[in-house]
C-alpha cells in the first residue's frame, strides 16, 4: 500500500485496487473506503460504525470493538 497522508492522529493509504484505508493511531481502527461508479462502500475492520450527525450532516462515529 502507498501512504497518501499521515499526521499524529491518522494514516491514509491506498492499495493498487483504488481502495483507501484510514487508520486511527489512537484506537487502531481501520476504515476501508471503496468508491465505485454509482456508490461508495465504507467498511470497518476491528471497529464499529455508528450512525451520527455532524453539523446536521450524516456521519459515522467510529469506535473500536473489544
Amino acid at each position: 500500500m502507498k501512504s497518501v497522508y499521515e499526521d499524529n492522529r491518522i494514516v491514509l493509504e491506498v492499495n493498487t485496487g483504488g481502495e483507501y484505508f484510514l487508520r486511527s493511531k489512537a484506537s487502531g481502527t481501520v476504515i476501508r473506503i471503496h468508491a465505485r461508479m454509482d456508490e461508495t462502500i465504507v467498511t470497518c475492520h476491528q471497529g464499529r460504525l455508528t450512525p451520527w450527525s455532524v453539523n446536521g450532516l450524516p456521519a459515522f462515529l467510529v469506535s473500536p470493538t473489544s
Side-chain angles (χ1 to χ4, degrees), residues 35-57:
R36 298 197 287 199
M37 292 187 65
D38 57 347
E39 62 189 3
T40 300
I41 299 169
V42 178
T43 57
C44 189
H45 177 67
Q46 295 178 338
R48 180 177 34 250
L49 296 172
T50 305
W52 204 255
S53 177
V54 175
N55 295 328
L57 299 173

Side-chain angles (χ1 to χ4, degrees), residues 1 11 13 20-24 27-32 43-47 49 62:
M1 280 200 269
V11 176
E13 298 174 320
Y20 288 86
F21 294 84
L22 180 66
R23 179 175 49 89
S24 167
S27 67
T29 55
V30 177
I31 299 171
R32 178 181 147 255
T43 57
C44 189
H45 177 67
Q46 295 178 338
L49 296 172
V62 180

Side-chain angles (χ1 to χ4, degrees), residues 1-15:
M1 280 200 269
K2 177 183 174 186
S3 182
V4 177
Y5 176 81
E6 182 173 356
D7 66 12
N8 61 342
R9 298 172 297 152
I10 62 170
V11 176
L12 178 63
E13 298 174 320
V14 64
N15 68 10

